[in-house]
Amino acid sequence: MRTTQAPPLRTESRGAAPEPRRRPASPQWAAWAFLTPVTLYLGLFYAFPLYRNLDLSLRDYTVRSFVQGDAPFTGLANYRKIFDDPTFAPALLHTAVFTAVCLVFQYAIGLALAVFFHQNFRLSATLRALFLVPWLLPLIVSASTWSWMLNSESGVVNTLLDALGVGPVNWLTSPSWSLASVIIANIWIGVPFNLVVLHSGLQSIPAGLYEAAALDGANAWQRFWRITFPLLRPVSAITLLLGLIYTLKVFDIIWIMTKGGPADSSTTFATWSYRLGFGNLLPAFGPGAAVGNLLVVAALVFGLIHLRVQRKQALA
C-alpha cells in the first residue's frame, strides 16, 4: 500500500514581524464628502447672491456700471434714500398687514381643516387631496384665476354679489379693496400648506389622551384646547415661521393681480424692490437691493427669535 505523506506545515519564523493592518478610512473624510455638495450649493445659490445683493445696496449702480463693475461705493446712502422715500411708510404698513392677516387666517383655517380631517371619516383622504390643488398650481395660474374672478365687470364674485342684491365692488382697481383682494388670494393659496403640516402633527398625538379626557368628561372644545393645541405647539411654531418667511417675499400674486396699485395701495416691500430694480426705464439697482435686504433682515430676526424660544423650551 502506498502511504501519502502530509505536506509539511509552514512555520513562521519567530523573528518575522506581523504584516501591518490597514487602518479603516477615517469617518471624517466621509462626512466631508457628503457635506461638500451641500456646501457648494449653499455657497453658490445662497451665500453668493446675498453677498451680491449687499454689494448692490452699498454702491451706486447704473446699467453701465452694472455691466462694467465700476460702481462707486456709497455706503448707506441707498438705505437713507429708501427711508426718505414717501413709498416707504405705506409699503411697510402693507407688508405688515399682508403678512399678519395671511398668517392668522392661513393658520386658523388650516388648523380647523386638519382637526376636521383627523377624524378619518369616509372620503376624508380624497377631500384632503382636493384641498392640495391650490398649493400645487403654479402661482401665475392662481393669480390669473383670481384676477378673472375679481374682475369688476365680468368677474364671478361680482356676479354673485349682484344676484344677492349687492352692488359691484372694484376689487382690483379701488385703493380700498386692492390689498384685501391680494390677501384673499394668498390665504387661499397658503391654507393647503398649513393643512398638510398640522395634519401630520396631529398624527403624532396619542389617541389614548383623547380617550382618557373623554372618560373624565371633557367636551370637544376642552380636548382641543387642553390636549391638541398645547401638543401641537412645536409644529405650529415651525408652520408659522415658514409661513412668515414665505409671505414676506410674496411677489407673483400681487404683481399679477394689481402690480402694487392703484396708487401704491397694495405695494409691499417685495413689489417695491422689484419695481425699483426692474420696473423702470432707469433702474435703481441700489435702492431696490436695499429694500430686498430689509426683507432678509426681517426674516432673519424672526428666525433667530424662533430658535431662541425653542432653546428655552428645550431647557425648561
Side-chain angles (χ1 to χ4, degrees), residues 291-305:
V291 176
N293 285 334
L294 294 181
L295 289 176
V296 174
V297 171
L300 180 62
V301 168
F302 283 105
L304 294 176
I305 293 174

Side-chain angles (χ1 to χ4, degrees), residues 4-275:
T4 58
Q5 296 180 353
L9 297 175
R10 296 179 180 177
T11 58
E12 296 180 357
S13 60
R14 295 180 180 180
E19 295 182 0
R21 297 180 179 179
R22 294 182 178 180
R23 294 182 179 180
S26 175
Q28 187 175 6
W29 288 104
W32 280 111
F34 282 106
L35 284 175
T36 300
V38 179
T39 305
L40 292 176
Y41 174 80
L42 293 177
L44 290 175
F45 297 101
Y46 285 89
F48 181 71
L50 286 175
Y51 162 74
R52 286 293 297 153
N53 203 60
L54 180 62
D55 181 70
L56 280 172
S57 66
L58 298 177
R59 297 180 181 274
D60 184 18
Y61 273 97
T62 61
V63 177
R64 183 189 61 82
S65 60
F66 186 83
V67 176
Q68 297 180 356
D70 56 350
F73 181 80
T74 58
L76 300 178
N78 289 321
Y79 291 92
R80 289 193 294 267
K81 184 180 297 184
I82 63 172
F83 288 147
D84 295 336
D85 196 300
T87 309
F88 176 79
L92 176 62
L93 177 62
H94 298 158
T95 304
V97 172
F98 180 82
T99 304
V101 175
C102 287
L103 280 181
V104 170
F105 279 92
Q106 286 175 354
Y107 177 79
I109 298 174
L111 180 59
L113 291 174
V115 174
F116 175 72
F117 287 118
H118 188 56
Q119 300 175 10
N120 292 326
F121 56 91
R122 190 177 181 181
L123 297 179
S124 62
T126 304
L127 293 176
R128 192 167 68 249
L130 291 176
F131 270 98
L132 296 180
V133 172
W135 191 29
L136 300 176
L137 287 175
L139 290 178
I140 188 172
V141 175
S142 301
S144 301
T145 303
W146 276 101
S147 297
W148 169 73
M149 292 174 59
L150 297 177
N151 187 275
S152 302
E153 299 178 357
S154 58
V156 175
V157 176
N158 275 349
T159 302
L160 294 176
L161 292 177
D162 184 63
L164 296 175
V166 181
V169 177
N170 296 323
W171 296 98
L172 305 177
T173 57
S174 172
S176 303
W177 288 100
S178 59
L179 185 61
S181 302
V182 295
I183 288 176
I184 293 172
N186 192 63
I187 291 174
W188 180 78
I189 294 172
V191 165
F193 171 77
N194 288 260
L195 167 61
V196 170
V197 179
L198 295 174
H199 186 269
S200 64
L202 289 176
Q203 305 298 321
S204 63
I205 300 178
L209 296 177
Y210 295 103
E211 296 174 359
L215 291 176
D216 291 338
N219 56 31
W221 171 252
Q222 291 173 335
R223 292 195 297 270
F224 169 78
W225 188 249
R226 298 188 179 184
I227 298 177
T228 303
F229 193 72
L231 295 181
L232 206 60
R233 190 171 300 165
V235 180
S236 299
I238 192 64
T239 304
L240 290 173
L241 177 63
L242 294 176
L244 172 70
I245 296 174
Y246 167 79
T247 309
L248 280 174
K249 65 182 185 64
V250 167
F251 162 77
D252 316 65
I253 302 168
I254 302 175
W255 191 259
I256 293 172
M257 294 181 64
T258 64
K259 288 185 171 55
D264 291 336
S265 58
S266 59
T267 296
T268 61
F269 277 173
T271 58
W272 188 28
S273 176
Y274 177 84
R275 191 173 62 191

